[in-house]
Amino acid sequence: MSSKVTVIQPKDWTRIQNSLARYNKDVARQKAIKEEKLALHNISNEMVKHWDNTIEGLRNKKLQARKIREEKEEAERVKIDIEEAKHQAQKRKEAIEKAKTQQYYQTDRVKTFHSALLLTEVIKEREAQVKMKKGQTNADKIREAHVLRLQQRQFEEAIREDQKRALERYNARREVADFQLFQVKDHIEENHLAKDMDMQEGQNIKQQVDMYESAKKIIEEQRRQEKIQLMKDHQSHLSKRKELQEFERKKQEEEDEEIRQFVYAKKKMSKMRKEKETELFNAFQDHTNRMRQKLADQMQQKVDDEDERIAKALAEREAKREADMKEKRGIHEHRLYQLFMCLQMRESERKAAEEAKRDQEILRKRVESDKLYHAKQVEKKLEKLHETKNLKTFQMDQVGERKVRKEQEKVSDLKTDLANDMLLREEELQFQEYAQHVISEERKRGRNPYPLIKAAQEGPGGGRGPKYEGKNGLRPSFLVSDGTGVQLPNYANATTQGSHTRIYGDPGKSRKRLGFTW
Protein backbone atom coordinates (compact mmCIF):
# COMPACT_ATOMS: atom_id res chain seq x y z
CA MET A 1 0.00 0.00 0.00
CA SER A 2 1.42 3.36 -1.10
CA SER A 3 0.31 7.01 -0.33
CA LYS A 4 1.09 10.38 -1.85
CA VAL A 5 3.35 12.45 0.49
CA THR A 6 4.34 16.11 0.14
CA VAL A 7 7.57 17.31 1.72
CA ILE A 8 7.49 20.82 3.24
CA GLN A 9 10.30 22.83 4.81
CA PRO A 10 10.06 23.45 8.62
CA LYS A 11 9.86 27.22 8.13
CA ASP A 12 7.05 26.84 5.61
CA TRP A 13 5.26 24.36 7.88
CA THR A 14 5.52 26.83 10.83
CA ARG A 15 4.31 29.67 8.65
CA ILE A 16 1.29 27.61 7.46
CA GLN A 17 0.41 26.62 11.04
CA ASN A 18 0.66 30.21 12.23
CA SER A 19 -1.45 31.41 9.31
CA LEU A 20 -4.15 28.83 10.05
CA ALA A 21 -4.11 29.64 13.76
CA ARG A 22 -4.02 33.41 13.00
CA TYR A 23 -0.87 33.68 15.14
CA ASN A 24 1.60 36.52 14.59
CA LYS A 25 4.82 36.16 16.50
CA ASP A 26 5.77 39.86 16.33
CA VAL A 27 2.31 41.00 17.44
CA ALA A 28 2.32 38.49 20.30
CA ARG A 29 5.79 39.61 21.35
CA GLN A 30 4.79 43.29 21.25
CA LYS A 31 1.64 42.48 23.23
CA ALA A 32 3.66 40.59 25.87
CA ILE A 33 6.14 43.49 26.13
CA LYS A 34 3.28 45.98 26.48
CA GLU A 35 1.58 43.87 29.18
CA GLU A 36 4.88 43.54 31.05
CA LYS A 37 5.46 47.33 30.90
CA LEU A 38 1.89 47.97 32.07
CA ALA A 39 2.35 45.56 35.01
CA LEU A 40 5.64 47.23 35.97
CA HIS A 41 3.98 50.65 35.67
CA ASN A 42 1.14 49.55 37.97
CA ILE A 43 3.64 48.15 40.48
CA SER A 44 5.58 51.44 40.40
CA ASN A 45 2.40 53.45 40.90
CA GLU A 46 1.42 51.30 43.88
CA MET A 47 4.90 51.72 45.37
CA VAL A 48 5.12 55.51 45.00
CA LYS A 49 1.45 56.26 45.68
CA HIS A 50 2.07 57.04 49.38
CA TRP A 51 5.53 58.67 49.03
CA ASP A 52 5.77 62.30 50.10
CA ASN A 53 9.14 63.15 48.51
CA THR A 54 8.02 62.59 44.91
CA ILE A 55 6.54 65.12 42.50
CA GLU A 56 3.17 63.34 42.58
CA GLY A 57 3.33 63.08 46.38
CA LEU A 58 4.16 66.77 46.71
CA ARG A 59 1.37 67.63 44.31
CA ASN A 60 -1.14 65.52 46.27
CA LYS A 61 0.10 67.09 49.51
CA LYS A 62 -0.33 70.58 48.04
CA LEU A 63 -3.78 69.66 46.77
CA GLN A 64 -4.75 68.38 50.24
CA ALA A 65 -3.41 71.55 51.87
CA ARG A 66 -5.24 73.64 49.28
CA LYS A 67 -8.47 71.73 49.99
CA ILE A 68 -8.10 72.34 53.75
CA ARG A 69 -7.33 76.02 53.12
CA GLU A 70 -10.35 76.38 50.84
CA GLU A 71 -12.56 74.74 53.48
CA LYS A 72 -11.29 77.22 56.10
CA GLU A 73 -11.83 80.11 53.68
CA GLU A 74 -15.32 78.82 52.93
CA ALA A 75 -16.07 78.66 56.67
CA GLU A 76 -14.81 82.25 57.03
CA ARG A 77 -16.90 83.33 54.07
CA VAL A 78 -19.98 81.64 55.59
CA LYS A 79 -19.31 83.44 58.86
CA ILE A 80 -18.90 86.74 57.02
CA ASP A 81 -22.11 86.02 55.04
CA ILE A 82 -23.98 85.39 58.31
CA GLU A 83 -22.68 88.66 59.76
CA GLU A 84 -23.55 90.46 56.52
CA ALA A 85 -27.04 88.91 56.59
CA LYS A 86 -27.52 90.14 60.17
CA HIS A 87 -26.25 93.59 59.17
CA GLN A 88 -28.53 93.67 56.13
CA ALA A 89 -31.49 92.54 58.30
CA GLN A 90 -30.74 95.38 60.75
CA LYS A 91 -30.46 97.84 57.86
CA ARG A 92 -33.76 96.55 56.42
CA LYS A 93 -35.38 96.94 59.85
CA GLU A 94 -34.08 100.51 60.15
CA ALA A 95 -35.21 101.25 56.57
CA ILE A 96 -38.68 99.84 57.35
CA GLU A 97 -38.91 101.96 60.50
CA LYS A 98 -37.76 105.01 58.55
CA ALA A 99 -40.27 104.25 55.76
CA LYS A 100 -43.05 103.85 58.32
CA THR A 101 -42.10 107.17 59.90
CA GLN A 102 -41.97 108.89 56.50
CA GLN A 103 -45.24 107.25 55.52
CA TYR A 104 -46.79 108.46 58.77
CA TYR A 105 -45.49 111.96 58.05
CA GLN A 106 -47.10 111.78 54.58
CA THR A 107 -50.62 111.29 55.96
CA ASP A 108 -53.02 114.21 55.42
CA ARG A 109 -53.56 114.89 59.10
CA VAL A 110 -49.83 114.96 59.95
CA LYS A 111 -49.09 117.09 56.87
CA THR A 112 -51.84 119.50 57.98
CA PHE A 113 -50.34 119.58 61.48
CA HIS A 114 -46.87 120.23 60.02
CA SER A 115 -48.37 123.04 57.93
CA ALA A 116 -49.70 124.54 61.14
CA LEU A 117 -46.23 124.13 62.67
CA LEU A 118 -44.77 126.00 59.71
CA LEU A 119 -47.41 128.70 60.22
CA THR A 120 -46.29 129.14 63.84
CA GLU A 121 -42.70 129.56 62.64
CA VAL A 122 -43.89 132.13 60.08
CA ILE A 123 -45.82 134.04 62.74
CA LYS A 124 -42.81 134.03 65.03
CA GLU A 125 -40.58 135.21 62.20
CA ARG A 126 -43.05 137.98 61.34
CA GLU A 127 -43.12 139.18 64.94
CA ALA A 128 -39.32 139.18 65.01
CA GLN A 129 -39.24 141.16 61.75
CA VAL A 130 -41.68 143.79 63.13
CA LYS A 131 -39.61 144.12 66.27
CA MET A 132 -36.44 144.38 64.21
CA LYS A 133 -38.06 147.05 62.01
CA LYS A 134 -38.91 149.18 65.02
CA GLY A 135 -35.42 148.79 66.44
CA GLN A 136 -33.91 149.54 63.06
CA THR A 137 -35.64 152.98 62.90
CA ASN A 138 -34.04 154.12 66.18
CA ALA A 139 -30.72 152.58 65.20
CA ASP A 140 -30.69 154.56 61.92
CA LYS A 141 -30.91 157.89 63.77
CA ILE A 142 -28.09 156.98 66.16
CA ARG A 143 -26.00 155.66 63.27
CA GLU A 144 -26.47 158.88 61.21
CA ALA A 145 -25.18 161.06 64.08
CA HIS A 146 -22.27 158.74 64.63
CA VAL A 147 -21.46 158.70 60.91
CA LEU A 148 -21.51 162.55 60.82
CA ARG A 149 -19.00 162.80 63.70
CA LEU A 150 -16.86 160.11 62.10
CA GLN A 151 -16.81 161.91 58.74
CA GLN A 152 -15.71 165.21 60.40
CA ARG A 153 -12.85 163.47 62.20
CA GLN A 154 -11.82 161.65 59.02
CA PHE A 155 -11.79 164.96 57.06
CA GLU A 156 -9.40 166.58 59.55
CA GLU A 157 -7.14 163.52 59.60
CA ALA A 158 -7.14 163.48 55.77
CA ILE A 159 -5.84 167.10 55.64
CA ARG A 160 -2.98 166.26 58.04
CA GLU A 161 -2.19 163.08 56.07
CA ASP A 162 -2.07 165.05 52.75
CA GLN A 163 0.42 167.56 54.17
CA LYS A 164 2.60 164.76 55.53
CA ARG A 165 2.51 162.83 52.23
CA ALA A 166 3.45 166.02 50.25
CA LEU A 167 6.58 166.47 52.37
CA GLU A 168 7.47 162.80 51.97
CA ARG A 169 7.02 163.05 48.18
CA TYR A 170 9.36 166.11 47.97
CA ASN A 171 12.10 164.32 49.96
CA ALA A 172 11.64 161.15 47.87
CA ARG A 173 11.91 163.08 44.56
CA ARG A 174 15.14 164.78 45.74
CA GLU A 175 16.66 161.41 46.72
CA VAL A 176 15.65 159.94 43.33
CA ALA A 177 17.29 162.85 41.45
CA ASP A 178 20.59 162.34 43.32
CA PHE A 179 20.46 158.61 42.68
CA GLN A 180 19.77 159.15 38.95
CA LEU A 181 22.85 161.45 38.59
CA PHE A 182 24.96 158.74 40.20
CA GLN A 183 23.47 156.13 37.84
CA VAL A 184 24.28 158.29 34.73
CA LYS A 185 27.96 158.50 35.72
CA ASP A 186 28.03 154.77 36.43
CA HIS A 187 26.44 153.97 33.02
CA ILE A 188 29.04 156.12 31.12
CA GLU A 189 31.90 154.20 32.76
CA GLU A 190 30.19 150.84 32.03
CA ASN A 191 29.75 151.80 28.32
CA HIS A 192 33.50 152.56 27.96
CA LEU A 193 34.39 149.22 29.58
CA ALA A 194 31.87 147.39 27.38
CA LYS A 195 33.35 148.90 24.17
CA ASP A 196 36.88 147.81 25.16
CA MET A 197 35.64 144.30 25.95
CA ASP A 198 33.72 144.14 22.62
CA MET A 199 36.89 145.09 20.65
CA GLN A 200 38.90 142.39 22.44
CA GLU A 201 36.15 139.81 22.01
CA GLY A 202 35.89 140.65 18.26
CA GLN A 203 39.60 140.03 17.75
CA ASN A 204 39.31 136.68 19.60
CA ILE A 205 36.31 135.66 17.47
CA LYS A 206 38.20 136.58 14.24
CA GLN A 207 41.12 134.36 15.29
CA GLN A 208 38.74 131.48 16.12
CA VAL A 209 36.97 131.87 12.74
CA ASP A 210 40.30 131.71 10.87
CA MET A 211 41.24 128.57 12.82
CA TYR A 212 37.83 127.08 12.11
CA GLU A 213 38.12 127.74 8.34
CA SER A 214 41.58 126.13 8.17
CA ALA A 215 40.41 123.11 10.19
CA LYS A 216 37.32 122.81 8.02
CA LYS A 217 39.46 122.74 4.82
CA ILE A 218 41.70 120.03 6.33
CA ILE A 219 38.66 117.91 7.33
CA GLU A 220 37.09 118.31 3.87
CA GLU A 221 40.35 117.20 2.21
CA GLN A 222 40.50 114.16 4.52
CA ARG A 223 36.85 113.28 3.72
CA ARG A 224 37.54 113.60 -0.04
CA GLN A 225 40.57 111.27 0.27
CA GLU A 226 38.46 108.82 2.33
CA LYS A 227 35.72 108.84 -0.31
CA ILE A 228 38.25 108.16 -3.09
CA GLN A 229 39.77 105.31 -1.07
CA LEU A 230 36.27 103.98 -0.28
CA MET A 231 35.39 104.01 -4.02
CA LYS A 232 38.56 102.08 -4.82
CA ASP A 233 37.86 99.54 -2.07
CA HIS A 234 34.28 99.14 -3.29
CA GLN A 235 35.36 98.50 -6.89
CA SER A 236 37.99 96.01 -5.66
CA HIS A 237 35.32 94.29 -3.54
CA LEU A 238 32.96 94.05 -6.54
CA SER A 239 35.65 92.47 -8.74
CA LYS A 240 36.58 89.98 -6.01
CA ARG A 241 32.90 89.13 -5.48
CA LYS A 242 32.47 88.45 -9.23
CA GLU A 243 35.53 86.19 -9.19
CA LEU A 244 34.20 84.39 -6.13
CA GLN A 245 30.77 83.95 -7.75
CA GLU A 246 32.40 82.51 -10.89
CA PHE A 247 34.49 80.16 -8.74
CA GLU A 248 31.36 79.08 -6.78
CA ARG A 249 29.45 78.49 -10.03
CA LYS A 250 32.22 76.28 -11.42
CA LYS A 251 32.48 74.43 -8.13
CA GLN A 252 28.67 73.91 -8.07
CA GLU A 253 28.75 72.56 -11.66
CA GLU A 254 31.51 70.11 -10.71
CA GLU A 255 29.54 68.98 -7.65
CA ASP A 256 26.36 68.57 -9.77
CA GLU A 257 28.37 66.49 -12.28
CA GLU A 258 29.71 64.29 -9.46
CA ILE A 259 26.20 63.88 -8.05
CA ARG A 260 24.86 62.88 -11.49
CA GLN A 261 27.66 60.36 -11.95
CA PHE A 262 27.05 58.99 -8.44
CA VAL A 263 23.29 58.68 -9.07
CA TYR A 264 23.94 56.98 -12.42
CA ALA A 265 26.38 54.53 -10.81
CA LYS A 266 23.96 53.88 -7.95
CA LYS A 267 21.10 53.14 -10.39
CA LYS A 268 23.38 50.87 -12.40
CA MET A 269 24.46 48.98 -9.26
CA SER A 270 20.81 48.69 -8.10
CA LYS A 271 19.85 47.29 -11.50
CA MET A 272 22.70 44.81 -11.42
CA ARG A 273 21.77 43.79 -7.87
CA LYS A 274 18.15 43.20 -8.90
CA GLU A 275 19.26 41.13 -11.89
CA LYS A 276 21.58 39.08 -9.68
CA GLU A 277 18.84 38.52 -7.08
CA THR A 278 16.41 37.47 -9.82
CA GLU A 279 18.98 35.08 -11.24
CA LEU A 280 19.67 33.53 -7.81
CA PHE A 281 15.95 33.23 -7.09
CA ASN A 282 15.29 31.53 -10.43
CA ALA A 283 18.19 29.13 -9.84
CA PHE A 284 16.85 28.26 -6.39
CA GLN A 285 13.35 27.74 -7.81
CA ASP A 286 14.67 25.48 -10.56
CA HIS A 287 16.62 23.47 -8.02
CA THR A 288 13.55 23.17 -5.76
CA ASN A 289 11.32 22.11 -8.68
CA ARG A 290 13.81 19.47 -9.76
CA MET A 291 13.99 18.06 -6.22
CA ARG A 292 10.18 17.99 -5.93
CA GLN A 293 9.81 16.31 -9.33
CA LYS A 294 12.43 13.71 -8.44
CA LEU A 295 10.72 12.89 -5.13
CA ALA A 296 7.31 12.74 -6.83
CA ASP A 297 8.60 10.28 -9.46
CA GLN A 298 10.08 8.05 -6.76
CA MET A 299 6.84 7.99 -4.75
CA GLN A 300 4.76 7.43 -7.87
CA GLN A 301 6.66 4.26 -8.72
CA LYS A 302 5.95 2.85 -5.24
CA VAL A 303 2.19 3.56 -5.07
CA ASP A 304 1.00 2.76 -8.64
CA ASP A 305 -0.15 -0.84 -7.87
CA GLU A 306 -1.74 0.08 -4.56
CA ASP A 307 -3.68 2.93 -6.21
CA GLU A 308 -5.18 0.60 -8.77
CA ARG A 309 -6.45 -1.83 -6.10
CA ILE A 310 -7.86 1.01 -3.99
CA ALA A 311 -9.60 2.55 -7.01
CA LYS A 312 -11.25 -0.77 -7.90
CA ALA A 313 -12.52 -1.34 -4.34
CA LEU A 314 -13.79 2.25 -4.15
CA ALA A 315 -15.72 1.85 -7.44
CA GLU A 316 -17.45 -1.32 -6.22
CA ARG A 317 -18.34 0.25 -2.91
CA GLU A 318 -19.68 3.37 -4.65
CA ALA A 319 -21.91 1.33 -6.97
CA LYS A 320 -23.39 -0.61 -4.04
CA ARG A 321 -23.94 2.57 -2.07
CA GLU A 322 -25.77 4.23 -4.98
CA ALA A 323 -28.12 1.23 -5.32
CA ASP A 324 -28.97 1.33 -1.59
CA MET A 325 -29.51 5.08 -1.80
CA LYS A 326 -31.96 4.73 -4.71
CA GLU A 327 -33.96 2.11 -2.81
CA LYS A 328 -34.04 4.17 0.37
CA ARG A 329 -34.97 7.30 -1.61
CA GLY A 330 -38.02 5.60 -3.11
CA ILE A 331 -39.25 4.40 0.28
CA HIS A 332 -38.74 7.82 1.76
CA GLU A 333 -40.61 9.58 -1.04
CA HIS A 334 -43.58 7.18 -0.62
CA ARG A 335 -43.69 7.85 3.11
CA LEU A 336 -43.50 11.60 2.53
CA TYR A 337 -46.45 11.45 0.10
CA GLN A 338 -48.58 9.52 2.62
CA LEU A 339 -47.64 11.97 5.37
CA PHE A 340 -48.51 14.92 3.13
CA MET A 341 -51.98 13.50 2.36
CA CYS A 342 -52.64 12.86 6.06
CA LEU A 343 -51.58 16.40 6.94
CA GLN A 344 -53.88 17.84 4.28
CA MET A 345 -56.88 15.91 5.67
CA ARG A 346 -56.07 17.06 9.20
CA GLU A 347 -55.66 20.64 8.07
CA SER A 348 -59.06 20.65 6.32
CA GLU A 349 -60.74 19.20 9.44
CA ARG A 350 -59.02 21.77 11.63
CA LYS A 351 -60.15 24.62 9.38
CA ALA A 352 -63.77 23.40 9.41
CA ALA A 353 -63.71 23.17 13.24
CA GLU A 354 -62.20 26.64 13.48
CA GLU A 355 -64.91 28.06 11.17
CA ALA A 356 -67.64 26.56 13.32
CA LYS A 357 -65.99 27.79 16.52
CA ARG A 358 -65.56 31.28 15.01
CA ASP A 359 -69.29 31.44 14.07
CA GLN A 360 -70.29 30.41 17.60
CA GLU A 361 -67.95 33.03 19.10
CA ILE A 362 -69.41 35.75 16.85
CA LEU A 363 -72.95 34.78 17.89
CA ARG A 364 -71.97 34.77 21.58
CA LYS A 365 -70.34 38.20 21.28
CA ARG A 366 -73.44 39.64 19.61
CA VAL A 367 -75.65 38.34 22.43
CA GLU A 368 -73.27 39.75 25.05
CA SER A 369 -73.11 43.08 23.19
CA ASP A 370 -76.93 43.35 23.24
CA LYS A 371 -77.04 42.53 26.96
CA LEU A 372 -74.28 45.04 27.64
CA TYR A 373 -76.08 47.75 25.64
CA HIS A 374 -79.35 47.24 27.62
CA ALA A 375 -77.40 47.23 30.89
CA LYS A 376 -75.65 50.46 29.93
CA GLN A 377 -78.95 52.11 29.06
CA VAL A 378 -80.37 51.16 32.48
CA GLU A 379 -77.16 52.34 34.13
CA LYS A 380 -77.34 55.69 32.29
CA LYS A 381 -80.92 56.22 33.49
CA LEU A 382 -79.92 55.43 37.08
CA GLU A 383 -76.83 57.66 36.77
CA LYS A 384 -78.94 60.50 35.38
CA LEU A 385 -81.39 60.13 38.26
CA HIS A 386 -78.48 60.06 40.72
CA GLU A 387 -76.97 63.18 39.13
CA THR A 388 -80.31 64.98 39.42
CA LYS A 389 -80.51 64.10 43.10
CA ASN A 390 -76.90 65.16 43.62
CA LEU A 391 -77.55 68.44 41.80
CA LYS A 392 -80.53 69.14 44.01
CA THR A 393 -78.47 68.32 47.09
CA PHE A 394 -75.60 70.48 45.81
CA GLN A 395 -77.97 73.41 45.18
CA MET A 396 -79.39 73.06 48.67
CA ASP A 397 -75.84 72.92 50.07
CA GLN A 398 -74.93 76.00 48.05
CA VAL A 399 -77.94 77.87 49.44
CA GLY A 400 -76.89 76.88 52.95
CA GLU A 401 -73.25 77.74 52.29
CA ARG A 402 -74.27 81.10 50.82
CA LYS A 403 -76.34 81.84 53.87
CA VAL A 404 -73.51 80.81 56.19
CA ARG A 405 -71.04 82.81 54.08
CA LYS A 406 -73.22 85.93 54.33
CA GLU A 407 -73.43 85.53 58.09
CA GLN A 408 -69.66 84.99 58.23
CA GLU A 409 -69.15 88.06 56.05
CA LYS A 410 -71.32 90.07 58.42
CA VAL A 411 -69.33 88.81 61.39
CA SER A 412 -66.10 89.52 59.48
CA ASP A 413 -67.32 93.02 58.59
CA LEU A 414 -68.17 93.63 62.23
CA LYS A 415 -64.73 92.38 63.27
CA THR A 416 -63.13 94.53 60.57
CA ASP A 417 -65.09 97.58 61.73
CA LEU A 418 -64.08 96.86 65.30
CA ALA A 419 -60.44 96.45 64.27
CA ASN A 420 -60.64 99.66 62.21
CA ASP A 421 -62.17 101.44 65.20
CA MET A 422 -59.36 100.21 67.42
CA LEU A 423 -56.79 101.20 64.81
CA LEU A 424 -58.33 104.65 64.41
CA ARG A 425 -58.37 105.03 68.20
CA GLU A 426 -54.69 104.03 68.42
CA GLU A 427 -53.79 106.37 65.57
CA GLU A 428 -55.73 109.18 67.28
CA LEU A 429 -53.90 108.56 70.56
CA GLN A 430 -50.54 108.43 68.77
CA PHE A 431 -51.30 111.65 66.86
CA GLN A 432 -52.51 113.45 69.97
CA GLU A 433 -49.40 112.39 71.88
CA TYR A 434 -47.15 113.62 69.06
CA ALA A 435 -49.18 116.86 68.70
CA GLN A 436 -49.11 117.63 72.45
CA HIS A 437 -45.35 117.03 72.52
CA VAL A 438 -44.83 119.42 69.59
CA ILE A 439 -47.17 122.04 71.10
CA SER A 440 -45.31 121.94 74.44
CA GLU A 441 -41.95 122.28 72.64
CA GLU A 442 -43.22 125.23 70.60
CA ARG A 443 -44.54 126.93 73.73
CA LYS A 444 -41.12 126.57 75.33
CA ARG A 445 -39.56 128.17 72.26
CA GLY A 446 -41.97 131.11 72.51
CA ARG A 447 -44.10 130.29 69.46
CA ASN A 448 -47.83 130.98 69.10
CA PRO A 449 -49.52 127.53 69.59
CA TYR A 450 -52.95 128.54 68.29
CA PRO A 451 -52.52 127.07 64.73
CA LEU A 452 -51.18 123.84 66.23
CA ILE A 453 -54.06 123.55 68.72
CA LYS A 454 -56.54 124.18 65.88
CA ALA A 455 -54.88 121.53 63.65
CA ALA A 456 -54.61 119.02 66.51
CA GLN A 457 -58.27 119.05 67.54
CA GLU A 458 -59.70 115.59 68.18
CA GLY A 459 -61.32 113.53 65.47
CA PRO A 460 -59.85 112.16 62.22
CA GLY A 461 -61.16 113.16 58.82
CA GLY A 462 -59.96 116.76 58.75
CA GLY A 463 -63.43 118.20 58.15
CA ARG A 464 -65.21 121.09 59.73
CA GLY A 465 -68.24 119.07 60.65
CA PRO A 466 -69.19 117.87 64.14
CA LYS A 467 -67.40 114.91 65.69
CA TYR A 468 -69.27 111.59 65.37
CA GLU A 469 -69.01 109.74 68.64
CA GLY A 470 -70.20 106.45 67.09
CA LYS A 471 -67.47 106.63 64.43
CA ASN A 472 -64.47 107.17 66.72
CA GLY A 473 -64.84 110.93 66.61
CA LEU A 474 -64.74 111.17 62.80
CA ARG A 475 -65.13 114.75 61.54
CA PRO A 476 -66.76 114.73 58.05
CA SER A 477 -66.61 117.47 55.44
CA PHE A 478 -69.84 119.03 54.11
CA LEU A 479 -69.40 120.64 50.69
CA VAL A 480 -71.75 122.91 48.75
CA SER A 481 -73.46 121.58 45.63
CA ASP A 482 -72.06 124.18 43.21
CA GLY A 483 -68.75 123.98 41.36
CA THR A 484 -66.75 125.86 43.99
CA GLY A 485 -66.49 122.86 46.35
CA VAL A 486 -66.43 125.10 49.44
CA GLN A 487 -66.59 123.31 52.78
CA LEU A 488 -69.44 124.44 55.03
CA PRO A 489 -68.74 125.35 58.65
CA ASN A 490 -70.36 123.67 61.64
CA TYR A 491 -73.23 125.50 63.30
CA ALA A 492 -75.17 124.35 66.28
CA ASN A 493 -78.49 125.76 64.99
CA ALA A 494 -80.12 126.32 61.63
CA THR A 495 -78.87 129.59 60.11
CA THR A 496 -79.25 131.49 56.90
CA GLN A 497 -76.26 132.15 54.72
CA GLY A 498 -77.08 135.04 52.34
CA SER A 499 -80.44 135.40 50.71
CA HIS A 500 -80.49 132.15 48.70
CA THR A 501 -78.73 129.58 50.98
CA ARG A 502 -80.48 127.92 53.94
CA ILE A 503 -79.58 124.86 56.03
CA TYR A 504 -82.40 123.06 57.81
CA GLY A 505 -81.87 121.07 60.96
CA ASP A 506 -78.54 120.19 62.57
CA PRO A 507 -76.25 118.45 60.03
CA GLY A 508 -73.77 117.60 62.76
CA LYS A 509 -76.23 115.28 64.54
CA SER A 510 -77.99 113.84 61.48
CA ARG A 511 -77.10 110.21 60.81
CA LYS A 512 -79.71 109.43 58.17
CA ARG A 513 -79.30 112.29 55.70
CA LEU A 514 -76.24 114.33 54.78
CA GLY A 515 -77.73 116.16 51.78
CA PHE A 516 -78.71 119.82 51.55
CA THR A 517 -81.93 121.60 50.63
CA TRP A 518 -81.71 124.83 48.69
Side-chain angles (χ1 to χ4, degrees), residues 182-204:
F182 177 75
Q183 279 186 337
V184 168
K185 294 178 181 179
D186 193 10
H187 288 166
I188 292 170
E189 293 178 358
E190 288 180 356
N191 289 331
H192 288 300
L193 292 174
K195 287 180 180 180
D196 295 337
M197 291 178 66
D198 289 339
M199 291 291 291
Q200 188 177 0
E201 187 177 359
Q203 292 176 0
N204 293 331

Side-chain angles (χ1 to χ4, degrees), residues 89-190:
Q90 183 65 26
K91 287 178 68 177
R92 286 195 296 272
K93 186 176 179 181
E94 293 175 358
I96 290 170
E97 293 296 332
K98 184 178 179 181
K100 287 182 178 178
T101 305
Q102 291 179 353
Q103 188 176 9
Y104 178 72
Y105 286 162
Q106 292 298 320
T107 57
D108 292 338
R109 196 168 185 192
V110 175
K111 288 168 72 174
T112 303
F113 184 75
H114 287 172
S115 299
L117 179 62
L118 180 62
L119 179 60
T120 59
E121 295 294 333
V122 172
I123 293 172
K124 181 65 178 178
E125 182 66 22
R126 183 174 177 276
E127 292 175 355
Q129 287 178 357
V130 171
K131 185 177 180 180
M132 185 183 69
K133 188 69 175 175
K134 290 179 180 179
Q136 188 176 3
T137 304
N138 297 327
D140 288 342
K141 294 179 181 179
I142 297 169
R143 186 172 62 253
E144 287 176 358
H146 177 70
V147 168
L148 184 61
R149 291 193 301 270
L150 183 63
Q151 287 179 353
Q152 185 68 27
R153 190 184 306 117
Q154 288 177 353
F155 179 73
E156 294 174 357
E157 290 179 355
I159 292 172
R160 288 194 295 269
E161 288 291 332
D162 289 339
Q163 292 175 355
K164 185 179 179 180
R165 282 197 295 269
L167 182 59
E168 290 177 354
R169 285 196 298 272
Y170 173 75
N171 295 328
R173 282 198 296 271
R174 188 166 185 176
E175 290 177 358
V176 168
D178 296 337
F179 180 72
Q180 288 177 350
L181 289 173
F182 177 75
Q183 279 186 337
V184 168
K185 294 178 181 179
D186 193 10
H187 288 166
I188 292 170
E189 293 178 358
E190 288 180 356

Side-chain angles (χ1 to χ4, degrees), residues 264-296:
Y264 177 73
K266 188 175 181 181
K267 287 182 179 179
K268 187 174 181 180
M269 290 176 67
S270 177
K271 183 176 180 182
M272 291 173 66
R273 187 184 297 109
K274 287 182 180 180
E275 291 177 355
K276 186 65 176 177
E277 288 177 355
T278 304
E279 184 179 353
L280 292 173
F281 179 75
N282 292 331
F284 178 75
Q285 288 293 111
D286 293 339
H287 178 71
T288 303
N289 291 331
R290 286 196 302 272
M291 292 296 293
R292 287 178 181 175
Q293 187 64 33
K294 187 176 181 180
L295 291 171

